[in-house]
Amino acid sequence: MKIANLMNEQFHDKDKAREYLENMRWSNGVICPHCGSTEAYKLEAKPNSKRPVRNGVYKCKTCRKQFTVTVGTIFEDSHIPLNKWLMAIYLLCSSKKGMSAHQLHRSLGITYKSAWFMAHRIRYAMTQSPVIDKLQGIVEADETYIGGKHRGKRGRGSENKTPVFALVERNGRVRSFKTERVTAKNLGGKIREHVDKQATIMTDEFLAYKNLGKEYEHHTVNHGSGEYVNGNAHTNTVEGFFSILKRGINGVYHHVSEQHLERYLAEFGFRYDNRKVEDAVRASIALSQIEGKRLTYKVPC
Ligand SMILES: [Zn+2]
């Protein structure tokens, strides 16, 4: 199912939002999140009963527990109305450089703290599952530095900055990582973990990549001598990813603490991997990843 645009009712009415989510998660019938049973019924107030029943509550016939569609998702235990959650997901999926918690706070009419918390949970949903296939074909590898006060890449100027290493399939997917130090051991380890042995790797001539040729077909481009494209050997794709990442982190998020950097990498990676589909489809893909990703962050004061 697609989210067509922000005018749709699920973004403006919390009951419609819940129905929308029920149709999405339970397209083949209601499933109890506690025991997996498909024998559940909707609780309705008894005629003449004075006890109100909350909308959207189901009861499992097998384990007798009650639940709603948000149990087991990033929305669980949140006081933010569900339609605002759906709208935040849409906004984060459709804004190329992301959207700050300040902007979400103003656009959705929720507190800054709630907006911050919400955005982090959504980034969490955007995180790739740990079991993913390896990158194939031509894979470009490069590192960059995020944060800090000074411009500069390796060596001078990179103090206070956090190295980010990225692997990008040409015309395909990205994996990016916060890295402690850009050593052959660290970068090589990520490459072995994420890149198929049959792939061809493109890098610049940084020493940390020197031994890759022993395990992979490896081509380099010599940036030091002003060479940017050497036949098919270039790293323009991964540099393109870094450029979107930096415009977003510098322009929208201003400051990203090292502690949360991986969440932002997940967000930019998610949009990059799904860049060829329209906003509505990208948002529904994010929405399909809300399960099993409950996050119990404390909102920082
Ligand atoms: Zn059950």
Side-chain angles (χ1 to χ4, degrees), residues 60-126:
C60 176
K61 285 186 185 170
T62 309
C63 72
R64 312 300 298 162
K65 286 181 182 157
Q66 296 186 5
F67 59 91
T68 69
V69 71
T70 60
V71 170
T73 74
I74 58 165
F75 311 131
E76 190 172 355
D77 298 335
S78 164
H79 297 296
I80 302 161
L82 200 51
N83 57 304
K84 295 195 180 193
W85 271 107
L86 298 191
M87 194 178 267
I89 289 176
Y90 189 95
L91 292 171
L92 272 171
C93 284
S94 57
S95 317
K96 278 217 161 45
K97 294 185 277 182
M99 187 169 280
S100 69
H102 279 292
Q103 183 65 46
L104 283 173
H105 143 68
R106 291 189 297 266
S107 300
L108 298 177
I110 52 178
T111 65
Y112 172 74
K113 270 190 198 174
S114 297
W116 188 96
F117 172 73
M118 211 176 182
H120 265 283
R121 275 197 179 183
I122 294 170
R123 282 183 198 109
Y124 187 53
M126 288 172 165

Coordinates of all heavy atoms in Angstrom, one line a residue, residues 60-126:
C60 N -6.5 -11.3 22.4 CA -6.1 -12.6 21.8 C -6.9 -13.7 22.5 O -7.0 -13.8 23.7 CB -4.6 -12.8 22.0 SG -4.0 -14.4 21.5
K61 N -7.5 -14.6 21.6 CA -8.2 -15.8 22.2 C -7.3 -16.8 22.7 O -7.7 -17.6 23.6 CB -9.1 -16.4 21.1 CG -10.3 -15.6 20.7 CD -11.1 -16.4 19.7 CE -12.3 -15.6 19.2 NZ -13.0 -16.3 18.0
T62 N -6.1 -16.8 22.3 CA -5.1 -17.9 22.7 C -4.5 -17.5 24.1 O -4.6 -18.2 25.0 CB -4.1 -18.1 21.7 OG1 -4.7 -18.3 20.4 CG2 -3.2 -19.3 22.0
C63 N -3.8 -16.3 24.1 CA -3.1 -16.0 25.3 C -3.9 -15.0 26.2 O -3.5 -14.7 27.3 CB -1.7 -15.4 25.0 SG -1.7 -13.8 24.3
R64 N -5.0 -14.5 25.7 CA -6.0 -13.7 26.5 C -5.4 -12.3 26.7 O -6.0 -11.5 27.5 CB -6.4 -14.3 27.8 CG -6.8 -15.7 27.8 CD -8.0 -16.0 27.0 NE -9.3 -15.3 27.4 CZ -10.3 -15.0 26.6 NH1 -10.3 -15.5 25.4 NH2 -11.4 -14.4 27.1
K65 N -4.3 -12.0 26.1 CA -3.7 -10.6 26.3 C -4.3 -9.6 25.3 O -4.8 -10.0 24.2 CB -2.2 -10.6 26.1 CG -1.5 -11.3 27.3 CD 0.0 -11.2 27.1 CE 0.7 -12.0 28.2 NZ 2.0 -12.4 27.8
Q66 N -4.3 -8.4 25.7 CA -4.8 -7.3 24.9 C -3.7 -6.6 24.1 O -2.5 -6.6 24.6 CB -5.6 -6.2 25.7 CG -6.8 -6.8 26.4 CD -7.6 -5.7 27.1 OE1 -7.3 -4.5 27.0 NE2 -8.7 -6.2 27.8
F67 N -4.0 -6.1 23.0 CA -2.9 -5.3 22.2 C -3.6 -4.4 21.2 O -4.8 -4.5 20.9 CB -2.0 -6.3 21.5 CG -2.7 -7.2 20.6 CD1 -2.9 -6.9 19.2 CD2 -3.3 -8.5 21.0 CE1 -3.5 -7.7 18.3 CE2 -3.9 -9.3 20.1 CZ -4.1 -8.9 18.8
T68 N -2.7 -3.5 20.7 CA -3.1 -2.6 19.6 C -2.1 -2.8 18.5 O -1.0 -3.5 18.7 CB -3.1 -1.1 20.0 OG1 -1.8 -0.7 20.2 CG2 -4.0 -0.9 21.2
V69 N -2.3 -2.2 17.4 CA -1.4 -2.4 16.3 C 0.0 -1.8 16.5 O 1.0 -2.2 15.8 CB -2.0 -1.8 15.0 CG1 -2.0 -0.2 15.1 CG2 -1.3 -2.2 13.7
T70 N 0.2 -1.0 17.5 CA 1.5 -0.4 17.7 C 2.4 -1.2 18.6 O 3.6 -0.9 18.7 CB 1.4 1.0 18.3 OG1 0.7 0.9 19.6 CG2 0.6 2.0 17.4
V71 N 1.8 -2.3 19.3 CA 2.7 -3.1 20.1 C 3.8 -3.8 19.3 O 3.5 -4.3 18.2 CB 1.8 -4.2 20.8 CG1 2.7 -5.2 21.6 CG2 0.9 -3.5 21.8
G72 N 5.0 -3.6 19.8 CA 6.1 -4.3 19.1 C 6.7 -3.4 17.9 O 7.5 -3.9 17.1
T73 N 6.3 -2.1 17.9 CA 6.8 -1.2 16.8 C 7.5 0.0 17.5 O 7.4 0.1 18.7 CB 5.7 -0.7 15.9 OG1 5.0 0.3 16.7 CG2 4.7 -1.8 15.5
I74 N 8.1 0.8 16.7 CA 8.7 2.0 17.2 C 7.7 3.0 17.8 O 8.1 3.9 18.4 CB 9.6 2.8 16.1 CG1 8.7 3.2 14.9 CG2 10.8 1.9 15.7 CD1 9.4 4.2 14.0
F75 N 6.4 2.7 17.6 CA 5.4 3.7 18.1 C 4.9 3.3 19.5 O 4.2 4.0 20.1 CB 4.1 3.7 17.2 CG 4.4 3.8 15.7 CD1 3.9 3.0 14.8 CD2 5.3 4.9 15.3 CE1 4.2 3.2 13.4 CE2 5.6 5.0 13.9 CZ 5.0 4.2 13.0
E76 N 5.3 2.1 19.9 CA 4.8 1.6 21.2 C 5.1 2.5 22.4 O 6.2 3.1 22.4 CB 5.4 0.2 21.5 CG 4.7 -0.5 22.6 CD 5.1 -1.9 22.8 OE1 5.9 -2.5 22.0 OE2 4.7 -2.5 23.8
D77 N 4.2 2.7 23.3 CA 4.4 3.5 24.5 C 4.6 5.0 24.2 O 5.0 5.7 25.0 CB 5.6 3.0 25.3 CG 5.4 1.6 25.8 OD1 4.2 1.2 25.9 OD2 6.4 1.0 26.1
S78 N 4.3 5.4 23.0 CA 4.5 6.8 22.7 C 3.2 7.6 22.9 O 2.1 7.1 22.5 CB 4.9 7.0 21.2 OG 4.7 8.3 20.8
H79 N 3.3 8.8 23.4 CA 2.0 9.6 23.6 C 1.8 10.5 22.4 O 0.8 11.2 22.3 CB 2.2 10.4 24.8 CG 2.2 9.6 26.1 ND1 1.2 8.8 26.5 CD2 3.2 9.4 27.0 CE1 1.5 8.1 27.6 NE2 2.8 8.5 27.9
I80 N 2.7 10.5 21.4 CA 2.5 11.3 20.2 C 1.4 10.6 19.3 O 1.5 9.4 19.1 CB 3.8 11.4 19.4 CG1 4.9 12.0 20.3 CG2 3.7 12.2 18.2 CD1 6.3 11.8 19.9
P81 N 0.4 11.4 18.9 CA -0.6 10.7 18.1 C 0.0 10.1 16.8 O 0.9 10.6 16.2 CB -1.5 11.9 17.7 CG -1.2 13.0 18.6 CD 0.2 12.8 19.1
L82 N -0.6 8.9 16.5 CA -0.1 8.1 15.4 C 0.0 8.8 14.1 O 0.9 8.6 13.3 CB -0.9 6.8 15.3 CG -0.3 5.6 14.6 CD1 1.1 5.3 15.1 CD2 -1.3 4.4 14.7
N83 N -1.0 9.7 13.8 CA -1.0 10.4 12.6 C 0.3 11.3 12.5 O 0.8 11.5 11.4 CB -2.3 11.2 12.3 CG -2.6 12.2 13.4 OD1 -2.6 11.8 14.6 ND2 -2.7 13.5 13.1
K84 N 0.7 11.8 13.6 CA 1.9 12.7 13.6 C 3.2 11.8 13.3 O 4.1 12.2 12.7 CB 2.1 13.5 14.9 CG 0.9 14.5 15.0 CD 1.2 15.5 16.0 CE 0.0 16.5 16.1 NZ 0.3 17.7 16.8
W85 N 3.2 10.6 13.8 CA 4.2 9.7 13.5 C 4.3 9.4 12.0 O 5.4 9.4 11.5 CB 4.0 8.3 14.3 CG 4.5 8.2 15.6 CD1 3.8 8.2 16.8 CD2 5.9 8.0 16.0 NE1 4.6 8.1 17.9 CE2 5.9 7.9 17.4 CE3 7.1 7.9 15.3 CZ2 7.1 7.8 18.1 CZ3 8.3 7.7 16.0 CH2 8.3 7.7 17.4
L86 N 3.2 9.1 11.4 CA 3.2 8.8 10.0 C 3.7 10.0 9.2 O 4.4 9.9 8.3 CB 1.8 8.4 9.5 CG 1.2 7.1 10.1 CD1 -0.1 6.7 9.4 CD2 2.2 6.0 10.2
M87 N 3.3 11.2 9.7 CA 3.7 12.4 9.0 C 5.2 12.6 9.1 O 5.9 13.0 8.2 CB 2.9 13.6 9.5 CG 3.1 14.8 8.5 SD 2.2 16.3 9.1 CE 0.7 16.1 8.2
A88 N 5.7 12.4 10.3 CA 7.2 12.5 10.5 C 8.0 11.6 9.6 O 9.0 11.9 9.1 CB 7.5 12.3 12.0
I89 N 7.5 10.3 9.5 CA 8.1 9.4 8.6 C 8.1 9.9 7.2 O 9.2 9.8 6.5 CB 7.5 8.0 8.8 CG1 7.8 7.4 10.1 CG2 7.9 7.0 7.6 CD1 7.1 6.0 10.4
Y90 N 7.0 10.4 6.8 CA 6.9 10.9 5.4 C 7.9 12.0 5.2 O 8.6 12.1 4.2 CB 5.5 11.3 5.1 CG 5.3 11.7 3.7 CD1 4.8 10.7 2.8 CD2 5.6 12.9 3.2 CE1 4.6 11.0 1.4 CE2 5.4 13.3 1.8 CZ 4.9 12.3 1.0 OH 4.8 12.6 -0.4
L91 N 7.9 12.9 6.2 CA 8.8 14.1 6.0 C 10.3 13.7 6.0 O 11.1 14.2 5.2 CB 8.6 15.1 7.2 CG 7.2 15.8 7.1 CD1 7.0 16.6 8.4 CD2 7.1 16.7 5.9
L92 N 10.7 12.8 6.9 CA 12.1 12.3 6.9 C 12.4 11.5 5.7 O 13.6 11.6 5.2 CB 12.4 11.5 8.2 CG 12.8 12.3 9.4 CD1 12.8 11.3 10.6 CD2 14.1 12.9 9.2
C93 N 11.5 10.9 5.1 CA 11.8 10.1 3.9 C 11.8 10.9 2.6 O 12.4 10.6 1.6 CB 10.7 9.0 3.7 SG 10.9 7.6 4.8
S94 N 11.1 12.1 2.6 CA 11.0 12.8 1.4 C 11.9 14.1 1.4 O 12.0 14.7 0.3 CB 9.5 13.3 1.2 OG 9.1 14.0 2.3
S95 N 12.6 14.4 2.5 CA 13.5 15.5 2.5 C 14.9 15.0 2.2 O 15.4 14.2 3.0 CB 13.5 16.2 3.8 OG 12.1 16.3 4.3
K96 N 15.5 15.4 1.1 CA 16.8 14.9 0.7 C 17.9 15.0 1.7 O 18.7 14.1 1.9 CB 17.3 15.7 -0.5 CG 16.6 15.2 -1.8 CD 17.7 15.2 -3.0 CE 17.2 14.4 -4.1 NZ 15.8 14.5 -4.4
K97 N 17.9 16.1 2.5 CA 18.9 16.2 3.5 C 18.5 16.0 4.9 O 19.2 16.3 5.8 CB 19.5 17.7 3.4 CG 20.2 17.9 2.0 CD 20.8 19.3 1.9 CE 19.8 20.3 1.5 NZ 20.4 21.7 1.4
G98 N 17.3 15.4 5.0 CA 16.8 15.1 6.3 C 16.0 16.3 6.9 O 15.7 17.2 6.2
M99 N 15.5 16.1 8.1 CA 14.8 17.2 8.7 C 15.1 17.3 10.2 O 15.1 16.3 10.9 CB 13.3 16.9 8.5 CG 12.4 18.1 9.0 SD 10.7 18.0 8.5 CE 10.7 18.5 6.9
S100 N 15.4 18.5 10.6 CA 15.9 18.6 12.0 C 14.7 18.5 13.0 O 13.6 18.6 12.6 CB 16.5 20.0 12.2 OG 15.5 21.0 12.1
A101 N 15.1 18.1 14.2 CA 14.1 18.0 15.3 C 13.4 19.4 15.5 O 12.2 19.4 15.8 CB 14.7 17.5 16.6
H102 N 14.1 20.5 15.3 CA 13.5 21.8 15.4 C 12.4 22.0 14.4 O 11.3 22.5 14.7 CB 14.5 22.9 15.2 CG 15.3 23.1 16.5 ND1 14.7 23.7 17.6 CD2 16.6 22.9 16.8 CE1 15.6 23.8 18.6 NE2 16.8 23.3 18.1
Q103 N 12.7 21.5 13.1 CA 11.7 21.7 12.1 C 10.5 20.8 12.3 O 9.3 21.2 12.2 CB 12.4 21.3 10.7 CG 11.5 21.5 9.5 CD 11.1 23.0 9.3 OE1 11.9 23.9 9.4 NE2 9.8 23.2 9.1
L104 N 10.8 19.5 12.8 CA 9.7 18.6 13.1 C 8.8 19.2 14.2 O 7.6 19.1 14.2 CB 10.2 17.2 13.5 CG 10.7 16.3 12.3 CD1 11.4 15.1 13.0 CD2 9.6 15.9 11.4
H105 N 9.4 19.7 15.2 CA 8.7 20.3 16.3 C 7.8 21.4 15.8 O 6.6 21.5 16.2 CB 9.8 20.8 17.3 CG 9.5 22.1 18.0 ND1 8.6 22.2 19.0 CD2 10.1 23.3 17.9 CE1 8.6 23.5 19.4 NE2 9.5 24.2 18.8
R106 N 8.3 22.3 14.9 CA 7.4 23.3 14.4 C 6.3 22.8 13.5 O 5.2 23.2 13.5 CB 8.2 24.4 13.7 CG 9.1 25.2 14.6 CD 9.7 26.4 13.9 NE 10.6 26.0 12.8 CZ 11.9 25.8 12.9 NH1 12.5 26.0 14.1 NH2 12.7 25.4 11.9
S107 N 6.7 21.9 12.6 CA 5.8 21.4 11.6 C 4.7 20.6 12.2 O 3.5 20.6 11.7 CB 6.5 20.5 10.5 OG 7.5 21.3 9.9
L108 N 5.0 19.8 13.2 CA 4.0 18.9 13.8 C 3.3 19.4 15.0 O 2.4 18.8 15.5 CB 4.7 17.5 14.1 CG 5.3 16.8 12.9 CD1 6.0 15.5 13.4 CD2 4.2 16.4 11.9
G109 N 3.8 20.5 15.5 CA 3.2 21.1 16.7 C 3.4 20.2 17.9 O 2.4 19.9 18.7
I110 N 4.6 19.6 18.1 CA 4.9 18.8 19.2 C 6.1 19.4 19.9 O 6.8 20.3 19.3 CB 5.2 17.3 18.9 CG1 6.3 17.3 17.8 CG2 3.9 16.6 18.4 CD1 6.7 15.9 17.4
T111 N 6.5 19.0 21.1 CA 7.6 19.6 21.8 C 8.9 19.2 21.0 O 8.9 18.2 20.3 CB 7.7 19.2 23.2 OG1 8.0 17.8 23.2 CG2 6.5 19.5 24.0
Y112 N 9.9 20.0 21.3 CA 11.2 19.7 20.7 C 11.7 18.4 21.1 O 12.2 17.6 20.4 CB 12.3 20.8 21.0 CG 13.6 20.4 20.6 CD1 14.0 20.4 19.2 CD2 14.6 20.0 21.5 CE1 15.3 20.0 18.8 CE2 15.8 19.6 21.1 CZ 16.2 19.6 19.8 OH 17.4 19.2 19.4
K113 N 11.5 18.1 22.4 CA 12.0 16.8 23.0 C 11.3 15.6 22.3 O 11.9 14.6 22.0 CB 11.7 16.7 24.5 CG 12.7 17.3 25.4 CD 12.3 16.9 26.8 CE 13.1 17.7 27.8 NZ 12.6 17.4 29.1
S114 N 10.0 15.8 22.1 CA 9.2 14.7 21.5 C 9.7 14.5 20.0 O 9.9 13.4 19.5 CB 7.7 15.0 21.4 OG 7.2 15.1 22.7
A115 N 10.0 15.7 19.4 CA 10.4 15.6 18.0 C 11.8 14.9 17.9 O 12.0 14.1 17.0 CB 10.5 17.0 17.4
W116 N 12.6 15.2 18.8 CA 14.0 14.6 18.8 C 13.9 13.1 19.0 O 14.5 12.3 18.3 CB 14.8 15.2 19.9 CG 16.2 14.8 19.9 CD1 17.3 15.5 19.4 CD2 16.8 13.7 20.5 NE1 18.5 14.9 19.6 CE2 18.2 13.7 20.3 CE3 16.3 12.6 21.2 CZ2 19.1 12.7 20.7 CZ3 17.2 11.5 21.6 CH2 18.5 11.6 21.4
F117 N 13.1 12.7 20.0 CA 12.9 11.3 20.3 C 12.3 10.5 19.1 O 12.7 9.4 18.8 CB 11.9 11.3 21.5 CG 11.4 10.0 21.9 CD1 12.3 9.1 22.6 CD2 10.1 9.6 21.7 CE1 11.8 7.8 22.9 CE2 9.6 8.3 22.1 CZ 10.5 7.5 22.7
M118 N 11.3 11.1 18.5 CA 10.6 10.6 17.4 C 11.6 10.3 16.2 O 11.6 9.3 15.6 CB 9.6 11.6 17.0 CG 8.4 11.1 16.4 SD 7.4 12.7 16.1 CE 6.0 11.9 15.5
A119 N 12.4 11.4 15.9 CA 13.3 11.3 14.8 C 14.3 10.2 15.0 O 14.7 9.4 14.1 CB 14.0 12.6 14.6
H120 N 14.7 10.0 16.3 CA 15.7 8.9 16.5 C 15.1 7.6 16.4 O 15.7 6.6 15.9 CB 16.3 9.1 17.9 CG 17.6 9.8 17.8 ND1 18.8 9.2 17.4 CD2 17.9 11.1 18.0 CE1 19.7 10.1 17.4 NE2 19.3 11.2 17.7
R121 N 13.8 7.4 16.8 CA 13.2 6.1 16.6 C 13.0 5.8 15.1 O 13.1 4.7 14.7 CB 11.8 6.1 17.3 CG 11.9 5.8 18.8 CD 10.5 5.4 19.3 NE 10.6 5.0 20.7 CZ 9.6 4.5 21.4 NH1 8.4 4.4 20.8 NH2 9.7 4.2 22.6
I122 N 12.7 6.8 14.4 CA 12.5 6.6 12.9 C 13.8 6.2 12.3 O 13.9 5.3 11.5 CB 11.9 7.9 12.2 CG1 10.4 8.1 12.8 CG2 11.8 7.7 10.7 CD1 9.8 9.4 12.4
R123 N 14.9 6.9 12.7 CA 16.2 6.5 12.2 C 16.5 5.0 12.5 O 17.1 4.3 11.7 CB 17.3 7.4 12.8 CG 17.4 8.7 12.1 CD 18.5 9.6 12.6 NE 18.1 10.9 12.2 CZ 17.7 11.9 13.1 NH1 17.7 11.7 14.4 NH2 17.3 13.0 12.6
Y124 N 16.1 4.7 13.7 CA 16.3 3.3 14.1 C 15.6 2.3 13.2 O 16.1 1.3 12.8 CB 15.9 3.1 15.6 CG 16.2 1.8 16.2 CD1 17.5 1.3 16.2 CD2 15.2 1.1 16.8 CE1 17.8 0.1 16.7 CE2 15.5 -0.2 17.4 CZ 16.8 -0.6 17.3 OH 17.1 -1.9 17.9
A125 N 14.4 2.7 12.8 CA 13.6 1.8 11.9 C 14.3 1.8 10.5 O 14.2 0.8 9.8 CB 12.2 2.4 11.7
M126 N 15.0 2.9 10.2 CA 15.7 2.9 8.9 C 17.0 2.1 8.8 O 17.6 1.9 7.8 CB 16.0 4.4 8.5 CG 14.8 5.2 8.1 SD 15.3 6.9 8.0 CE 13.9 7.6 7.1

